[in-house]
Amino acid sequence: GENVEQHPSTLSVQEGDSAVIKCTYSDSASNYFPWYKQELGKGPQLIIDIRSNVGEKKDQRIAVTLNKTAKHFSLHITETQPEDSAVYFCAATFSGSARQLTFGSGTQLTVLP
Amino acid sequence: DAGVIQSPRHEVTEMGQEVTLRCKPISGHDYLFWYRQTMMRGLELLIYFNNNVPIDDSGMPEDRFSAKMPNASFSTLKIQPSEPRDSAVYFCASSFRGKDYGYTFGSGTRLTVV
């Protein structure tokens, strides 16, 4: 089945700096790659996604890049703010079912003031 | 929209007791997912439904777990009998076919079995 690896598991940055979280996936048929943000005591929330026909997508301070050849995708957060502190999960579709996401293990991002 | 609604938010029960978790998906969403989150195993898909029909329950850990979706607006996840290793946060999520495949998660139920 699909396997999604996420790095790093923890990341600390100074406020205003950039943060990058990377994921690799195993199923070359995967075609949808969302990113979720989970704040303490809440459920994961979709923040951005990308499809396999696109190499990059940006939404204000957040961007995601996809390299299909290498089977990896990354989340980039620029000008980080304390409210960006949370656990971030990448995910990828599983070719056996268009509706089943496989999640990475998560990255605890801490933005230091 | 109120989003995906789960109840209760917290549940503490004794080993051997039956536990029922509840979920109300977003109106119009035709997919419903039950996930379990632990530090050791991360987010695990337990079961999902499409149009109220269970499609894949291969993630259900054992026969003590069961899930139902009697109608489009309600689903339950039941554990009977509960064990301490079932302690986790259980999330329900729903999704709308034809949109961008994004899931909307509920706030979760934190289950503690003592």
Side-chain angles (χ1 to χ4, degrees):
Chain A
E2 175 72 279
N3 184 44
V4 177
E5 294 191 1
Q6 183 171 348
H7 300 281
S9 57
T10 60
L11 178 62
S12 293
V13 299
Q14 289 295 138
E15 182 176 357
D17 288 350
S18 295
V20 180
I21 302 170
K22 299 181 179 180
C23 289
T24 60
Y25 60 97
S26 59
D27 188 348
S28 58
S30 293
N31 60 0
Y32 176 65
F33 308 91
W35 285 88
Y36 288 80
K37 175 184 180 182
Q38 185 177 22
E39 298 176 325
L40 196 61
K42 297 183 179 180
Q45 179 185 14
L46 177 68
I47 56 172
I48 195 168
D49 56 12
I50 192 168
R51 297 191 179 278
S52 57
N53 58 347
V54 175
E56 183 174 0
K57 184 176 179 180
K58 190 173 181 180
D59 182 4
Q60 299 183 342
R61 298 187 295 108
I62 294 174
V64 57
T65 59
L66 172 65
N67 184 326
K68 284 194 65 181
T69 303
K71 292 192 286 186
H72 68 70
F73 57 113
S74 300
L75 177 71
H76 304 253
I77 305 174
T78 59
E79 301 174 21
T80 54
Q81 301 169 4
E83 53 264 38
D84 294 329
S85 295
V87 178
Y88 291 81
F89 292 95
C90 62
T93 57
F94 176 42
S95 62
S97 168
R99 283 290 166 189
Q100 184 181 44
L101 287 177
T102 299
F103 284 87
S105 54
T107 296
Q108 173 68 62
L109 173 65
T110 302
V111 179
L112 304 170
Chain B
D1 199 319
V4 175
I5 300 173
Q6 290 187 246
S7 64
R9 286 299 311 273
H10 303 274
E11 178 79 41
V12 180
T13 191
E14 291 185 348
M15 182 174 61
Q17 295 298 307
E18 177 180 295
V19 176
T20 299
L21 312 181
R22 297 173 175 80
C23 175
K24 177 180 170 57
I26 290 175
S27 177
H29 281 193
D30 55 348
Y31 283 81
L32 183 139
F33 306 83
W34 282 101
Y35 278 86
R36 179 170 67 176
Q37 186 175 41
T38 61
M39 288 295 292
M40 290 297 295
R41 302 175 69 88
L43 277 164
E44 301 176 274
L45 177 64
L46 300 178
I47 185 171
Y48 77 94
F49 296 81
N50 177 212
N51 292 323
N52 313 336
V53 176
I55 303 299
D56 183 356
D57 65 354
S58 60
M60 297 286 261
E62 45 196 281
D63 292 344
R64 299 184 296 105
F65 286 68
S66 63
K68 294 182 179 180
M69 192 165 186
N71 57 63
S73 59
F74 184 66
S75 177
T76 60
L77 177 68
K78 185 177 293 186
I79 308 173
Q80 166 63 21
S82 58
E83 297 182 3
R85 60 194 169 118
D86 301 331
S87 297
V89 180
Y90 291 81
F91 287 104
C92 175
S94 69
S95 177
F96 176 58
R97 181 180 183 181
K99 287 187 73 176
D100 55 3
Y101 294 72
Y103 293 178
T104 301
F105 282 82
S107 297
T109 295
R110 180 173 294 278
L111 173 65
T112 303
V113 183
V114 298

